[in-house]
Amino acid sequence: MTLPEEVTHRVRYADTDAMGVVYNAVYLVWFEAARTEWLRARGLPYLEVANRGISLPVTEATLRFRNPARYDDLVTIAARMDRVRSRGVTFSYRVQTGGRILAEGSTTHVAVETASGRSVLMPGWLIEPLRLGSTPEDPS
Amino acid sequence: MTLPEEVTHRVRYADTDAMGVVYNAVYLVWFEAARTEWLRARGLPYLEVANRGISLPVTEATLRFRNPARYDDLVTIAARMDRVRSRGVTFSYRVQTGGRILAEGSTTHVAVETASGRSVLMPGWLIEPLRLGSTPEDPS
Amino acid sequence: MTLPEEVTHRVRYADTDAMGVVYNAVYLVWFEAARTEWLRARGLPYLEVANRGISLPVTEATLRFRNPARYDDLVTIAARMDRVRSRGVTFSYRVQTGGRILAEGSTTHVAVETASGRSVLMPGWLIEPLRLGSTPEDPS
Amino acid sequence: MTLPEEVTHRVRYADTDAMGVVYNAVYLVWFEAARTEWLRARGLPYLEVANRGISLPVTEATLRFRNPARYDDLVTIAARMDRVRSRGVTFSYRVQTGGRILAEGSTTHVAVETASGRSVLMPGWLIEPLRLGSTPEDPS
């Protein structure tokens, strides 16, 4: 597991629903924002990954909603990389506001050669920075 | 102006916001749905337009909101073609529920060669069905 | 488990992303649409549940993406009720197009007294139609 | 007209569509974000307006799309107040990236008493900060 990367977001009416809280699907959008900044902070802007012909589509996602987020809340979304495998990677997420946990979740991704749509082994230029990304928590 | 094409949509929580009504941006999504079915009904599925290398991006949009739509309303979105020009086309829309007008609007599109991103003259295979689409209201 | 309820949806540009496929968060919106029609078909429009002061917020969701959905695909989203408990209910979903499975998933809901925001026992008027909803597959 | 307020946003896959560009409806969401920060900077967080029983729903919107925004673009959305009237207010917007204008637009709002849903005169506590907001450009 690696150090998290956080993004902040001010909740807008667009994010909420008629129950007065943030709509459940919005959390997956927030997960994307946090994951993208996690990759950028490791020197791997996703745009560069895409430009090299690899995409990392989501194959699984889980969400646990603990407390509702409301209009104008300033939420922080933290992403961590949980596991890097030869063919993919798993991230986990925590959404908070004012120290209160709103939601947690995870997304699993496989490496795909964009042109052919086929699952591939993660190339070295992609897997190494991800593994180095874990160093800070590896005291050995 | 041509005969309208209608689509129906059941309002979901995803469409609403914390004011208890449908969020303003959602109407542009509904306009897309109605415009797409208008084209399909004239024998021009937008997917075929795109496959022939032409796209019709929106260059202008207007919206007038008259009455709020609410959760579980069954709304109908009617699209009409207002005007076809050598380089583009304008559609107008009316959103209703139970005979009450919720919103009206318009979108203007230009023909673009997708590969180059350049504005082009509307090709004959695109402009002719659009013009024929207007016949029903041409009593002459 | 109960008989499924299906809704159909034509994929629009609004649903897709720059990878050319339907964006992952959109599936949660589709799950809502299918779940709502499942409830309506059992005589329990969610609007009536809400009007009686009960809401059923999502507490957990899972998604497994098997194949991408693309622009103009006509997808069907089937919802089933998996389990009804004293304080909540779990639904599962399957998204398909042309016989191909695109995604599967589940949502878990708890009964909440909307006014207080507190978790409550599912009232009889809510739990009974849900249980009756399961009869067709319960031959015993 | 008043000094603008800007917000920045990193374009995510969620914002884009299968044409590879930001979907048109997303701009209305960005307009909301910029308008909200414009109000906050004048000491009028919209949440406070809402808590005092007034809402400012959008009655009209216009959008002109000049250049497409793409994945990972860092866009700035500037809001200005164009006109304050006894019963409403008009804002205009400009979306840019790297000095290039992507889109412009406007939204018109009326003051509504939330409880009754009726259009009302803008109360003094709302209209005065809006008018003071214009001072910087009023050298007379």
Side-chain angles (χ1 to χ4, degrees):
Chain A
M1 204 180 285
T2 61
L3 288 180
E5 194 69 29
E6 282 192 1
V7 298
T8 61
H9 176 79
R10 178 73 73 173
V11 173
R12 302 170 292 209
Y13 275 100
D15 301 318
T16 61
D17 70 18
M19 293 306 297
V21 301
V22 170
Y23 186 72
N24 58 73
V26 172
Y27 288 82
L28 285 175
V29 178
W30 293 352
F31 288 0
E32 185 207 345
R35 176 172 73 243
T36 303
E37 296 314 314
W38 189 96
L39 287 167
R40 195 189 314 281
R42 272 76 193 170
L44 268 177
Y46 188 78
L47 188 57
E48 269 187 43
V49 178
N51 285 344
R52 287 181 181 224
I54 298 293
S55 51
L56 293 169
V58 177
T59 53
E60 289 182 40
T62 65
L63 301 107
R64 290 181 304 286
F65 301 97
R66 303 216 179 280
N67 288 289
R70 296 184 189 280
Y71 175 70
D72 216 38
D73 281 351
L74 192 62
V75 300
T76 60
I77 308 108
R80 283 173 180 274
M81 190 188 64
D82 270 1
R83 222 159 19 110
V84 56
R85 298 177 313 282
S86 59
R87 292 184 169 273
V89 57
T90 299
F91 290 93
S92 66
Y93 309 89
R94 176 171 290 177
V95 183
Q96 293 179 282
T97 190
R100 203 164 44 107
I101 295 176
L102 303 176
E104 293 169 307
S106 67
T107 57
T108 298
H109 305 253
V110 290
V112 166
E113 191 183 54
T114 311
S116 67
R118 287 195 196 141
S119 161
V120 291
L121 287 171
M122 303 254 283
W125 57 262
L126 176 56
I127 208 167
E128 276 155 33
L130 292 181
R131 284 192 175 138
L132 283 170
S134 353
T135 313
E137 293 191 319
D138 245 40
S140 61
Chain B
M1 201 180 285
T2 60
L3 288 180
E5 195 69 30
E6 283 192 0
V7 298
T8 61
H9 176 79
R10 179 71 73 173
V11 173
R12 302 170 291 209
Y13 275 101
D15 301 318
T16 62
D17 70 18
M19 294 305 299
V21 301
V22 170
Y23 187 72
N24 57 74
V26 172
Y27 289 81
L28 284 175
V29 178
W30 293 352
F31 288 0
E32 185 206 343
R35 176 172 72 244
T36 303
E37 296 314 314
W38 189 95
L39 287 167
R40 194 189 315 279
R42 270 76 193 172
L44 268 177
Y46 189 78
L47 187 57
E48 270 188 41
V49 178
N51 286 343
R52 287 180 180 224
I54 298 293
S55 51
L56 292 169
V58 177
T59 54
E60 290 182 40
T62 65
L63 301 109
R64 289 182 305 285
F65 301 97
R66 303 214 180 282
N67 288 289
R70 296 184 190 279
Y71 175 70
D72 216 39
D73 282 351
L74 192 62
V75 298
T76 60
I77 308 107
R80 282 173 180 275
M81 191 187 63
D82 269 3
R83 221 158 21 110
V84 56
R85 299 177 313 283
S86 58
R87 292 185 169 272
V89 57
T90 298
F91 290 93
S92 65
Y93 309 90
R94 176 171 289 178
V95 183
Q96 293 179 284
T97 189
R100 203 164 44 107
I101 296 176
L102 303 175
E104 293 169 308
S106 68
T107 57
T108 298
H109 305 253
V110 289
V112 166
E113 191 185 53
T114 310
S116 67
R118 286 194 197 142
S119 160
V120 291
L121 287 172
M122 303 253 283
W125 57 262
L126 176 55
I127 208 167
E128 276 156 35
L130 294 180
R131 284 194 174 134
L132 282 171
S134 354
T135 313
E137 293 191 317
D138 247 38
S140 61
Chain C
M1 202 180 287
T2 60
L3 288 180
E5 194 69 29
E6 282 192 1
V7 298
T8 61
H9 175 79
R10 179 72 73 173
V11 174
R12 302 170 292 208
Y13 275 101
D15 301 318
T16 61
D17 70 18
M19 293 305 299
V21 301
V22 170
Y23 186 72
N24 58 73
V26 172
Y27 289 82
L28 285 175
V29 178
W30 292 352
F31 288 0
E32 185 207 342
R35 176 172 73 244
T36 303
E37 297 315 314
W38 189 95
L39 287 168
R40 195 190 314 280
R42 271 77 193 171
L44 268 177
Y46 189 78
L47 188 57
E48 270 188 42
V49 178
N51 286 343
R52 288 180 180 224
I54 298 292
S55 51
L56 293 169
V58 177
T59 54
E60 290 181 41
T62 64
L63 302 108
R64 290 182 305 284
F65 300 98
R66 303 214 179 284
N67 288 289
R70 297 185 188 279
Y71 175 70
D72 216 39
D73 281 352
L74 191 63
V75 299
T76 60
I77 308 108
R80 282 174 181 274
M81 192 188 62
D82 269 4
R83 220 157 21 110
V84 56
R85 299 177 313 281
S86 59
R87 293 185 168 272
V89 57
T90 298
F91 289 92
S92 66
Y93 309 90
R94 177 171 289 178
V95 183
Q96 293 179 282
T97 190
R100 204 164 44 107
I101 295 176
L102 303 176
E104 292 169 308
S106 68
T107 58
T108 298
H109 305 253
V110 289
V112 166
E113 191 184 53
T114 310
S116 67
R118 286 194 197 142
S119 160
V120 291
L121 287 171
M122 303 253 283
W125 57 261
L126 177 54
I127 208 167
E128 275 156 34
L130 293 181
R131 284 195 174 134
L132 282 171
S134 356
T135 313
E137 293 191 319
D138 245 40
S140 62
Chain D
M1 203 180 283
T2 61
L3 289 179
E5 195 68 30
E6 283 191 1
V7 298
T8 61
H9 176 79
R10 179 72 72 174
V11 173
R12 302 171 293 210
Y13 274 101
D15 302 317
T16 61
D17 70 17
M19 293 305 298
V21 301
V22 170
Y23 186 72
N24 58 73
V26 172
Y27 288 82
L28 285 175
V29 178
W30 293 352
F31 289 179
E32 185 207 344
R35 176 172 74 243
T36 303
E37 297 314 314
W38 189 95
L39 288 167
R40 195 189 315 279
R42 271 76 193 170
L44 268 177
Y46 189 79
L47 188 57
E48 270 187 43
V49 177
N51 286 343
R52 288 179 179 225
I54 298 293
S55 51
L56 293 169
V58 177
T59 54
E60 289 181 41
T62 64
L63 301 107
R64 289 181 305 285
F65 301 97
R66 302 215 180 282
N67 287 289
R70 296 185 189 279
Y71 175 69
D72 216 38
D73 281 352
L74 191 62
V75 299
T76 60
I77 308 107
R80 284 172 178 275
M81 191 187 64
D82 270 2
R83 222 158 20 110
V84 55
R85 299 176 313 281
S86 59
R87 290 184 171 273
V89 57
T90 299
F91 290 93
S92 65
Y93 309 89
R94 176 171 289 177
V95 183
Q96 293 179 284
T97 190
R100 204 164 44 108
I101 296 176
L102 303 175
E104 292 169 308
S106 67
T107 58
T108 298
H109 306 253
V110 291
V112 166
E113 192 184 53
T114 311
S116 67
R118 286 193 197 144
S119 159
V120 292
L121 286 171
M122 302 253 283
W125 58 262
L126 177 55
I127 208 166
E128 276 154 35
L130 292 181
R131 283 191 175 139
L132 282 171
S134 355
T135 313
E137 294 192 316
D138 243 40
S140 60

